[in-house]
Amino acid sequence: QVLSLPIVVIVHGNQDNNAKATVLWDNAFSDIDRVPFVVAERVPWEKMCDTLNLKFMAEVQTTKGLLKEHYFFLAQKIFNDHSARPEDFQSRHVSWAQFNKEILPGRGFTFWQWFDGVLDLTKRCLKSYWSDRLIVGFISKQYVCKLLSAEPDGTFLLRFSDSEIGGVTIAYVIRDKDGSSQVENIQPFSAKDLSIRSLGDRIRDLGQLRNLYPNIPKDQAFGSHYNKEQTGKD
């Protein structure tokens, strides 16, 4: 006999997401000498951060993992607490229910369903952009507004959508002649969208985008990701 990784049997593809959550939780947080199938119901948030980081790097196949500011955003999301400081989350424990049973406030999906969607999108369409640190990704819409509102017209950054599973959106600042500014968010691009036209080419198409936050000209930041335009049949 030999110990295996956890196995979950499913009968339909729509159970795949929950099965992966079960395997991840069991593999990361169970003890070797446990009673079969017994896993901790709550785990330290710091341990969860390590697990999400390892999962992200392995799934996307990148050496660029999650950063402290990413963990802070994820903590705010999973605990539904936007008033705490980063250090306040260090002593907290996260439950299985918070991870993959409870629906996120105002959404129709759980934390894991959302995170798994980000994993899939990044793996399929955004690996090179993430590895080049061109995507902030894990950042709230409110904090993006705070960052961009003081920047020059056309400054933009990329973040994973809060409202859709597996979407990436572009936030950019528009500055009026009187000096006032507003931050706009382009409708999120899905993996299907990005398979039709790449993210780099979409950014090149959008004339209102000028500099990647904080101040990198977009052609300098994304030039290596542009595809040579084909003529003729296209």
Side-chain angles (χ1 to χ4, degrees):
Q1 62 179 14
V2 63
L3 284 173
S4 78
L5 291 175
I7 294 172
V8 177
V9 179
I10 62 175
V11 297
H12 194 280
N14 62 13
Q15 297 172 323
D16 182 64
N17 182 272
N18 285 328
K20 285 193 286 186
T22 302
V23 169
L24 180 70
W25 188 279
D26 195 288
N27 197 31
F29 306 125
S30 62
D31 296 322
I32 293 294
D33 57 351
R34 61 172 171 169
V35 176
F37 311 114
V38 172
V39 192
E41 186 62 31
R42 305 176 68 83
V43 298
W45 170 243
E46 286 190 318
K47 201 170 179 182
M48 172 61 77
C49 289
D50 292 339
T51 299
L52 293 176
N53 183 48
L54 289 171
K55 179 66 175 173
F56 190 94
M57 293 173 68
E59 199 77 22
V60 178
Q61 294 188 325
T62 179
T63 57
K64 300 294 171 59
L66 304 182
L67 305 173
K68 286 184 178 178
E69 51 266 36
H70 297 152
Y71 294 138
F72 181 44
F73 166 75
L74 293 172
Q76 289 178 314
K77 195 173 191 69
I78 202 167
F79 291 112
N80 190 30
D81 186 347
H82 299 276
S83 60
R85 299 166 300 172
E87 54 270 24
D88 295 336
F89 292 114
Q90 292 177 0
S91 59
R92 292 201 190 180
H93 283 63
V94 62
S95 68
W96 165 254
Q98 290 169 313
F99 180 67
N100 193 46
K101 282 185 77 176
E102 296 170 358
I103 301 298
L104 292 172
R107 305 291 180 228
F109 43 81
T110 66
F111 173 85
W112 168 252
Q113 288 171 331
W114 174 83
F115 189 83
D116 189 45
V118 168
L119 277 180
D120 186 62
L121 175 72
T122 309
K123 175 175 64 176
R124 290 167 60 185
C125 306
L126 304 175
K127 176 182 174 181
S128 58
Y129 302 93
W130 175 269
S131 297
D132 289 345
R133 290 294 190 207
L134 299 175
I135 299 175
V136 177
F138 299 103
I139 185 172
S140 68
K141 185 182 288 188
Q142 293 76 14
Y143 192 52
V144 167
C145 289
K146 185 178 177 181
L147 286 180
L148 294 183
S149 57
E151 296 299 321
D153 187 64
T155 303
F156 69 97
L157 58 75
L158 290 92
R159 52 178 284 271
F160 297 123
S161 172
D162 270 331
S163 57
E164 294 185 19
I165 294 177
V168 62
T169 187
I170 303 170
Y172 65 99
V173 63
I174 301 172
R175 193 166 290 283
D176 296 326
K177 292 179 181 178
D178 63 2
S180 62
S181 66
Q182 67 181 71
V183 175
E184 297 284 345
N185 287 272
I186 294 172
Q187 183 174 342
F189 301 122
S190 66
K192 183 179 179 181
D193 297 326
L194 298 179
S195 68
I196 296 169
R197 188 158 180 79
S198 72
L199 180 63
D201 289 340
R202 289 177 184 273
I203 289 172
R204 177 171 56 180
D205 293 343
L206 295 166
Q208 67 268 42
L209 307 182
R210 297 178 183 173
N211 296 308
L212 180 66
Y213 179 85
N215 58 358
I216 309 170
K218 76 173 181 182
D219 290 342
Q220 179 183 326
F222 291 92
S224 63
H225 298 276
Y226 296 163
N227 291 311
K228 291 181 179 178
E229 295 293 353
Q230 295 178 340
T231 57
K233 287 183 181 179
D234 290 350

